[in-house]
Amino acid sequence: MTEDAERLRRWRLLLGNAAEESTGGLASKTDAAMDGALAALYDTSSEGSKSRRRGAGLGGSAPKVARWLGDIRTYFPSSVVQVMQKDAIDRLGLTQLLLEPELLDAVEPDVHLVGTLLSLNRAMPETSKATARMVVEKVVREVEERIAQKTRTAVTGALNRSARITNPKYRDIDWNRTIRANLAHYLPEYKTVVPERLLGYGRRSQAVHRDVVLAIDQSGSMASSVVYASVFGAVLASMRALKTSLVVFDTAVVDLTDKLSDPVDVLFGTQLGGGTDINRAIAYSQSLIDRPTESLFVLISDLYEGGIRAEMLRRMAAMTNAGVQVVVLLALSDDGAPSFDHDNAAALGVLGIPAFACTPDKFPELLALALERGDIGRWADGLQTE
């Protein structure tokens, strides 16, 4: 196929049947099948009907949807399938059909699908729960594999650096840092450095170095963040040097710390949707902190407060004044720029607490910086320029 012909083919698939006169028809059965799958979801027009929505051909029929799911997995790569599934759920109201086990078996699992399933958790019949849990578990394990080692390495490094001492035992000497710190004492005639001071690490690996409290907004718009934060919480809870607590909130607060051994259990303990009372969540989180100067509090929320705004800001100021390292994430996801309450974000900035979005890949780096009490604001500004 020539380059021009391939270009016309792609435009025809993109624009649908209405473009056939200008781009030409589709030559192969495979292209026709791809066009049909796209039309079922995105074609908003049809002969004799100006009001017909694209995708009306799927209707509410589970068999039709199951066939469509099979078709898109046949003709499109996994990344495209995930986008089309999300669009189908959003555009065509197929949410309820996901309660049927045969459809869950046909979907391509991803973070957005997990968010949808969690929002249906309370309405899900028993016949679907086992399949839904397998879907959620597959996604969670993939996310865990992606971020676990990087997180442990970053956090361990930060804690080790915070435990550095200047009179280490021989086995604890950091030779690279010791040599760099004593280069002024190099003796060329002996080709050696005579160290005036030794630098190394303290041996406190069995002790709890830091307390970490994660408070996660479980309103519907935060679905992806809930998934990622739950996995990160489980990874942090597996590290003996940290005491990790995790709470989720809407208008109520639920402590899921006892489920951190399995992030899937954490996720099925959430209930996406509903209102938001950030102030109440912060108040509960404060009750978990008994070593302020050794504590990190991470609030993950779009900051749309349904509770008492002034009290929320007062509590955040009290935390920072007590020595707690506070981080506010407007989102923890790969979904792009989030919607959030700009007034509340600006008010937190005045208190010296920057509020910003962070991707899962960057979160380990942020954790390490926060545990070392680095400049979070400057780091966040650097994210905007990347």
Side-chain angles (χ1 to χ4, degrees):
M1 181 180 292
T2 66
E3 185 176 336
D4 287 343
E6 174 62 14
R7 186 181 297 113
L8 287 174
R9 169 185 171 272
R10 288 175 178 271
W11 276 113
R12 167 61 183 82
L13 287 170
L14 176 67
L15 298 175
N17 188 63
E20 190 150 313
E21 287 186 11
S22 57
T23 62
L26 296 169
S28 71
K29 290 183 179 180
T30 297
D31 284 349
M34 292 174 65
D35 185 55
L38 290 166
L41 178 57
Y42 298 113
D43 191 358
T44 56
S45 63
S46 65
E47 293 182 10
S49 175
K50 294 182 180 181
S51 61
R52 181 185 174 194
R53 293 182 59 196
R54 187 175 194 173
L58 291 177
S61 166
K64 287 183 179 178
V65 175
R67 284 195 297 272
W68 179 79
L69 288 169
D71 286 345
I72 64 174
R73 293 179 73 175
T74 299
Y75 299 115
F76 300 98
S78 176
S79 58
V80 175
V81 170
Q82 291 172 7
V83 172
M84 293 178 72
Q85 286 177 172
K86 183 177 184 297
D87 287 348
I89 293 168
D90 293 343
R91 293 166 61 96
L92 305 181
L94 300 182
T95 301
Q96 289 300 316
L97 289 177
L98 288 177
L99 298 178
E100 301 188 24
E102 62 270 22
L103 286 186
L104 285 176
D105 283 334
V107 296
E108 186 76 24
D110 72 331
V111 169
H112 297 104
L113 179 62
V114 169
T116 301
L117 292 176
L118 294 177
S119 70
L120 298 171
N121 189 16
R122 299 295 185 267
M124 193 174 294
E126 291 299 323
T127 54
S128 299
K129 284 187 176 179
T131 306
R133 187 177 180 89
M134 286 190 290
V135 171
V136 172
E137 185 165 7
K138 180 178 180 181
V139 174
V140 164
R141 300 312 170 205
E142 289 173 354
V143 171
E144 196 168 27
E145 183 177 346
R146 168 183 161 190
I147 58 93
Q149 187 55 49
K150 185 177 180 181
T151 302
R152 293 191 182 99
T153 300
V155 170
T156 300
L159 295 177
N160 282 342
R161 287 187 291 272
S162 70
R164 281 174 176 162
I165 58 177
T166 57
N167 59 339
K169 295 180 181 179
Y170 181 83
R171 63 184 178 181
D172 297 328
I173 295 173
D174 182 340
W175 287 107
N176 289 332
R177 292 185 65 244
T178 295
I179 291 170
R180 286 197 300 270
N182 290 277
L183 286 176
H185 309 297
Y186 176 68
L187 301 179
E189 62 271 28
Y190 295 105
K191 296 183 178 180
T192 189
V193 171
V194 178
E196 285 193 350
R197 61 193 181 107
L198 301 175
L199 300 176
Y201 301 116
R203 286 190 168 264
R204 299 188 298 164
S205 59
Q206 300 304 312
V208 174
H209 293 216
R210 295 285 191 275
D211 298 339
V212 179
V213 179
L214 302 174
I216 310 169
D217 184 341
Q218 60 177 353
S219 56
S221 61
M222 301 295 294
S224 295
S225 298
V226 171
V227 175
Y228 284 115
S230 298
V231 177
F232 274 112
V235 172
L236 295 177
S238 71
M239 303 182 68
R240 289 180 295 179
L242 299 176
K243 175 188 173 185
T244 304
S245 304
L246 184 144
V247 301
V248 296
F249 65 92
D250 40 40
T251 54
V253 181
V254 180
D255 192 327
L256 297 176
T257 303
D258 63 343
K259 298 183 181 296
L260 278 175
S261 60
D262 187 347
V264 178
D265 287 340
V266 173
L267 288 170
F268 276 97
T270 65
Q271 178 57 61
L272 294 176
T276 310
D277 191 337
I278 304 172
N279 177 53
R280 177 176 290 187
I282 296 171
Y284 181 82
S285 298
Q286 282 180 301
S287 72
L288 301 175
I289 296 173
D290 52 18
R291 303 191 306 164
T293 59
E294 301 296 323
S295 297
L296 168 63
F297 173 59
V298 182
L299 173 66
I300 303 173
S301 172
D302 54 19
L303 298 179
Y304 289 111
E305 173 64 308
I308 305 172
R309 178 179 185 268
E311 187 71 7
M312 174 194 75
L313 296 174
R314 187 192 68 77
R315 291 185 186 280
M316 293 293 268
M319 272 199 195
T320 56
N321 291 337
V324 178
Q325 177 75 308
V326 177
V327 174
V328 176
L329 297 182
L330 304 171
L332 178 57
S333 72
D334 294 310
D335 294 343
S339 170
F340 62 96
D341 189 307
H342 291 262
D343 290 339
N344 283 337
L348 289 172
V350 171
L351 298 176
I353 306 171
F356 55 95
C358 181
T359 64
D361 286 339
K362 285 291 185 180
F363 190 59
E365 182 181 333
L366 172 60
L367 274 174
L369 183 64
L371 291 169
E372 292 184 88
R373 294 188 168 274
D375 189 336
I376 301 297
R378 175 180 289 184
W379 185 87
D381 290 341
L383 284 182
Q384 307 304 315
T385 60
E386 289 186 0

